[in-house]
DNA sequence: GTCTATACTGTGATAGAC
DNA sequence: GTCTATCACAGTATAGAC
């Protein structure tokens, strides 16, 4: 099989085709979810024939799994960067800004994740219960420490994190709605959102 | 056709079957989205045979449309209730509480809506551009009036509304994730969420 | 009026021949 | 690598039983 690399590693063609397939699959899966997506769509989107896609990947499920695996690598990164080194309010606001930037720059990844969780997370539940929960617990404890030290106001750390996830991802997942409601004022929505969220979280956190 | 009611209106059986189909369809569509759902699933979920379902509804699309129409009736109601009669901060916090209660009591409706918007809102875009935008514009103007009168802090009314939508709906749409992360602490998540959101929006709005 | 049986048609995923 | 066959299943239509 093609993906079982020889000692020389994957060829240029293998890499290019694999990436093209994953790129197209991200587009399709992010829009229609796993069950609503078809290999035909991925074939049309990528310009690679359906049998040829199956030459590189074992099947629809495998492509989806590969996308989710890559997603989670980068998905947790912004939260991981929140550290106990700097000022608490600045650390949290910087996290908000990074997360919002991800919604702006990688909206398809956000929708892929949203589709998966919305549909019950059948193919990603282990990742939520493992790495995601562990990281959230760790950062919630960090926030609780700041509260105990009187550095930020006393709020529930978990629900603070949930609110950051929801408010920032909203601009990717519900982009159609946001743009429709804002209409002609939609162009600078990410700039306006950044300003609003910064204001809100500073007001919420500053003691 | 069955749904063209006679002068006596729909029979008891017609009403019961129609409701049973819609109830099952809500469950299925909310979980898998439109394209990911099948009539077979709705048939299995409702215990009504596929041909019998098609006796009551013209097709898959018609069932979905009926659900969306019913959804939008109740979906905008909490925001409509926000009025200029009471104290601004209380009005907005009451809206947040009502919206969160809807996520708790009608999570499937929230997911149905989320699936539709996430996938580009192809069957609901007119409703977003029409009634939803009109209502949002109206309430944003109301909030702006409060700001101009110095009754609440100066924030962007639209992005305030977006944040309320996202934070409250998060508890329905991402329920699996919320419960997984909270694990054994998940039972009182709506109570804790209500307290957190009330705190956050009071801090954000109170001048 | 209500419901079932059955069949038709298109499409999707996959396997194997070339 | 491509092309074609296969097999399952989805959505729909119709005939007719109750």
């Amino acid at each position: 099989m093609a993906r079982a690399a020889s000692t020389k590693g994957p060829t240029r063609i293998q890499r290019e085709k694999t990436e093209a397939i994953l790129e197209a699959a991200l587009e399709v899966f992010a829009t229609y979810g796993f069950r609503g997506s078809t290999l035909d769509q991925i074939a049309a989107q990528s310009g690679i024939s359906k049998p040829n896609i199956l030459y590189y990947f074992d099947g629809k499920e495998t492509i989806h799994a590969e996308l989710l695996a890559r997603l989670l690598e980068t998905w947790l990164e912004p939260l991981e960067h929140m550290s106990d080194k700097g000022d608490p309010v600045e650390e949290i606001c910087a996290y908000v800004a990074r997360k919002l930037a991800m919604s702006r720059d990688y909206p398809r990844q956000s929708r892929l994740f949203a589709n998966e969780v919305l549909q019950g997370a059948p193919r990603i539940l282990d990742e939520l219960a493992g790495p995601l929960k562990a990281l959230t617990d760790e950062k919630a404890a960090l926030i609780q420490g700041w509260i105990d030290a009187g550095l930020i106001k006393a709020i529930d750390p978990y629900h603070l994190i949930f609110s950051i996830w929801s408010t920032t991802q909203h601009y990717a997942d519900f982009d159609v709605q946001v743009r429709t409601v804002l209409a002609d004022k939609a162009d600078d929505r990410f700039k306006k959102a950044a300003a609003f969220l910064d204001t809100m979280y500073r007001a919420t956190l500053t003691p």
Side-chain angles (χ1 to χ4, degrees), chain A residues 104-119:
Chain A
R104 184 194 59 207
D105 299 334
Y106 306 102
R108 297 177 307 177
Q109 279 84 343
S110 185
R111 283 191 210 108
L112 178 70
F113 185 78
N115 258 310
E116 183 63 16
V117 175
L118 191 53
Q119 309 194 353

Side-chain angles (χ1 to χ4, degrees), chain A residues 112-186:
Chain A
L112 178 70
F113 185 78
N115 258 310
E116 183 63 16
V117 175
L118 191 53
Q119 309 194 353
R123 287 165 290 274
I124 209 182
L125 200 54
D126 290 347
E127 297 293 329
L128 299 185
L132 178 68
K133 170 163 169 44
L135 181 62
T136 312
D137 284 341
E138 176 198 329
K139 297 306 181 184
L142 172 60
I143 294 169
Q144 187 60 51
W146 288 333
I147 294 171
D148 294 341
L151 297 171
I152 60 174
K153 269 199 266 201
I155 41 79
D156 187 305
Y158 286 97
H159 293 273
L160 171 67
I161 292 173
F162 292 155
S163 83
I164 294 173
W165 289 346
S166 62
T167 50
T168 55
Q169 291 173 12
H170 187 77
Y171 291 93
D173 302 342
F174 289 74
D175 182 55
V176 178
Q177 188 184 28
V178 167
R179 281 189 290 108
T180 303
V181 167
L182 291 178
D184 54 309
K185 300 184 291 288

